[in-house]
Amino acid sequence: MSKPLSQHSFFDGSYLGDRARLAPTARLECKVCWHVYDPAEGCEAWQIPPGTPFNALPDHWRCPVCDGARDAFMVLDGGTPDLPAVMRPAPVDPALERQLAEAPGTFEAVFREIHAAKMKGVPFVNGTLGVKAVGFRIHDGRVMGVLVTPWFMNIVLLPNAADDWSTLKTGDRELIDFPSGAYEFLAANRPETGPYKACSLFSPMFDFSSMLQAVETAEAVIPGLLDPANREDGTRSGEIRRRAEAEDAARAAAEAAADEAAGNAPRPRATAPAEMSRRALILGPSAADQLRDGAA
């Protein structure tokens, strides 16, 4: 006879949700994406300093690669026995924790109302999608996340208690630097949410054929945004641009051969390849192609 499942079931090999089981030096691996949390290294994406054990991570911490919950981690090994004195992360501002807990629901409620009222029947609305706040977390002292609606997908950045964004005018532009690079944000302000800044990733949303596809893309945004490997001078970003240039060159060569075979005049060529979009740099080299193919 099989054992009844407890209220909180965990996979075999996990730490069973009991942080007391973990040694301060233990390394843990995400069951979903195999990302390893090593206390000796900390977590740059979440600004966790080296020397922080898994059982001292703040409650809002999630896998920086796939955004999985901490319960999806399993013990990999005991880590480095001679790890220096363990550092505890600085306590998170309770006001930020409260904002993190409340912001997703607030944004979802506001934009669901907009969807039902002002956006009903508008041609550029993707009727297969809904409104969802995805991947909200605290980074660099501010709450941020991704807002998915049937007509746009934006990165949303909220002010902290020390910020005065009340004087910002809607549409004011600002370049904000993240580990993966600098991105343009526009100021916005709604009575229900207060002032915030938004970076557009998709608008309209016809690249997506389902809400699941849109949410899965949104879940990859913040980890990609906070990944230094995606910087323009980084290896992954450089590979993205090299691949784009190679594809443009191959396409141009094929078109030139076809024109020559058909006896047509050569087509005009762009003097330089188009700059890669911010979403391609964040999500990876084939994201746009995969989305287009999925929507076709």
Side-chain angles (χ1 to χ4, degrees), residues 82-128:
D82 57 349
L83 185 70
V86 170
M87 296 173 59
R88 299 278 177 173
V92 177
D93 182 350
L96 273 180
E97 290 279 19
R98 185 166 56 253
Q99 187 182 46
L100 177 63
E102 296 174 354
T106 299
F107 274 90
E108 287 179 357
V110 169
F111 282 88
R112 281 173 182 154
E113 184 175 346
I114 293 173
H115 181 210
K118 298 180 181 179
M119 305 303 294
K120 187 174 183 180
V122 176
F124 59 81
V125 169
N126 184 339
T128 65

Side-chain angles (χ1 to χ4, degrees), residues 157-177:
L157 182 65
L158 306 183
N160 59 34
D163 294 324
D164 182 8
W165 291 0
S166 61
T167 59
L168 293 177
K169 296 179 181 178
T170 298
D172 282 352
R173 300 172 182 269
E174 178 184 1
L175 282 178
I176 300 178
D177 195 53

Side-chain angles (χ1 to χ4, degrees), residues 6-7 17 42 51 54 69 72 135 137 153 173 189-190 213 245 259:
S6 62
Q7 182 179 3
F54 190 86
R137 64 180 66 185
M153 181 188 298
R173 300 172 182 269
N189 196 340
R190 294 187 177 277
Q213 185 188 26
E245 291 170 1
D259 288 340

Side-chain angles (χ1 to χ4, degrees), residues 110-283:
V110 169
F111 282 88
R112 281 173 182 154
E113 184 175 346
I114 293 173
H115 181 210
K118 298 180 181 179
M119 305 303 294
K120 187 174 183 180
V122 176
F124 59 81
V125 169
N126 184 339
T128 65
L129 305 181
V131 175
K132 181 72 174 174
V134 179
F136 274 63
R137 64 180 66 185
I138 296 172
H139 172 72
D140 201 20
R142 295 188 180 94
V143 171
M144 65 182 304
V146 179
L147 181 63
V148 177
T149 77
W151 62 99
F152 70 75
M153 181 188 298
N154 288 350
I155 302 171
V156 174
L157 182 65
L158 306 183
N160 59 34
D163 294 324
D164 182 8
W165 291 0
S166 61
T167 59
L168 293 177
K169 296 179 181 178
T170 298
D172 282 352
R173 300 172 182 269
E174 178 184 1
L175 282 178
I176 300 178
D177 195 53
F178 291 93
S180 64
Y183 301 89
E184 183 180 72
F185 281 70
L186 302 182
N189 196 340
R190 294 187 177 277
E192 305 91 342
T193 64
Y196 62 94
K197 298 175 183 179
C199 175
S200 176
L201 295 174
F202 295 88
S203 182
M205 294 285 284
F206 293 113
D207 286 328
F208 301 98
S209 58
S210 70
M211 190 61 180
L212 176 62
Q213 185 188 26
V215 169
E216 287 179 343
T217 300
E219 288 173 343
V221 168
I222 301 301
L225 185 76
L226 303 181
D227 186 352
N230 290 347
R231 288 198 76 90
E232 186 171 352
D233 54 353
T235 56
R236 180 178 177 187
S237 183
E239 177 59 29
I240 292 171
R241 293 187 183 278
R242 285 192 294 273
R243 172 175 167 170
E245 291 170 1
E247 288 177 349
D248 285 344
R251 187 180 301 109
E255 290 175 351
D259 288 340
E260 183 177 356
N264 297 330
R267 307 178 199 185
R269 304 296 177 195
T271 57
E275 183 179 359
M276 295 293 288
S277 70
R278 70 194 70 170
R279 66 174 178 254
L281 290 174
I282 292 173
L283 298 174

